[in-house]
Amino acid sequence: MAAGVRAEVWCGFRCADKLLPTVPTPGRRAQRQSVSVYLGDKMASAAAKQIAAEQVVAGFNRLRQEQRSLASKEAELEMELNEHTLVIETLKDVDPSRKCYRMVGGVLVERTVKEVLPALENNKEQINKIIQSLSTQLRDKGRELNEFREKHNIRLMGEEEKHTPKENGDGSGSKQSTAGVLVS
């Protein structure tokens, strides 16, 4: 065996067992650099594919989180709308000069029913508009998510393949590409 040191890592990439001299000569140094660049480019494409797949998964998860956030906010506002509706129905049957208490910015304020009722109805209308806006955004986000899934061939765990290979007249099935990203 020749005198030398076995090197396995150059520029952060694993190389095939190359024997390097212990005392580098100018010619050897230039050879090592060209080999590491060559192997670096080869390995960089594999690393780029891995990074691209990770970016696709991260983008998909980001879109799913945004969709969940919109749905959560919409559900929260619907509950608030139901509370406003219940209070408005209750106050309609009450004498307008009767005292009532309203929470404003964390402070309980004493008012009359005739002062509070129009404000509650206005709030209810505003909440309704926001819910409609969120519903539209949620629909758009769902479309965007589905387009992203189709574009990057993303399949969720437990989801079956939608397209089954069709058989040709000669009996051989045409196979579709199953390369894609599997997300849990």
Side-chain angles (χ1 to χ4, degrees):
M1 181 176 226
V5 177
R6 194 169 295 275
E8 293 184 12
V9 178
W10 291 339
C11 301
F13 297 107
R14 183 171 176 80
C15 302
D17 298 316
K18 296 290 180 184
L19 191 61
L20 300 178
T22 54
V23 180
T25 60
R28 288 284 189 185
R29 177 179 236 165
Q31 183 181 5
R32 276 191 311 211
Q33 289 173 349
S34 64
V35 169
S36 66
V37 168
Y38 171 71
L39 291 174
D41 289 344
K42 189 175 183 182
M43 297 299 287
S45 66
K49 288 179 183 178
Q50 178 66 25
I51 290 171
E54 289 173 2
Q55 288 175 345
V56 167
V57 171
F60 179 72
N61 286 334
R62 179 185 47 80
L63 287 172
R64 278 180 26 178
Q65 183 58 37
E66 289 172 5
Q67 186 183 35
R68 286 184 190 129
S69 174
L70 286 171
S72 172
K73 188 64 176 174
E74 183 181 22
E76 178 185 329
L77 286 174
E78 284 177 356
M79 288 180 9
E80 195 169 319
L81 180 69
N82 289 338
E83 289 176 7
H84 273 72
T85 303
L86 182 65
V87 171
I88 289 171
E89 287 175 5
T90 304
L91 290 180
K92 281 185 178 178
D93 299 331
V94 177
D95 180 34
S97 62
R98 186 172 172 182
K99 290 182 189 178
C100 67
Y101 297 91
R102 181 174 182 211
M103 184 76 72
V104 178
V107 177
L108 201 57
V109 180
E110 181 180 334
R111 301 276 187 229
T112 62
V113 171
K114 71 178 181 180
E115 294 172 346
V116 171
L117 198 54
L120 285 174
E121 290 172 343
N122 185 32
N123 284 354
K124 180 182 172 186
E125 290 173 14
Q126 295 301 319
I127 291 171
N128 240 342
K129 289 178 185 177
I130 293 171
I131 288 174
Q132 290 173 354
S133 171
L134 283 175
S135 179
T136 303
Q137 290 176 12
L138 188 60
R139 252 192 328 272
D140 293 344
K141 189 60 69 176
R143 285 189 197 116
E144 182 181 355
L145 188 62
N146 287 335
E147 289 170 2
F148 192 85
R149 281 182 66 190
E150 291 173 6
K151 178 181 176 185
H152 296 288
N153 193 20
I154 297 174
R155 293 174 288 130
L156 299 176
M157 290 186 74
E159 184 179 74
E160 294 182 15
E161 186 74 24
K162 291 181 182 177
H163 306 287
T164 56
K166 296 180 181 177
E167 289 190 21
N168 293 336
D170 60 354
S172 64
S174 63
K175 295 184 179 179
Q176 296 180 350
S177 173
T178 58
V181 180
L182 182 64
V183 180
S184 60

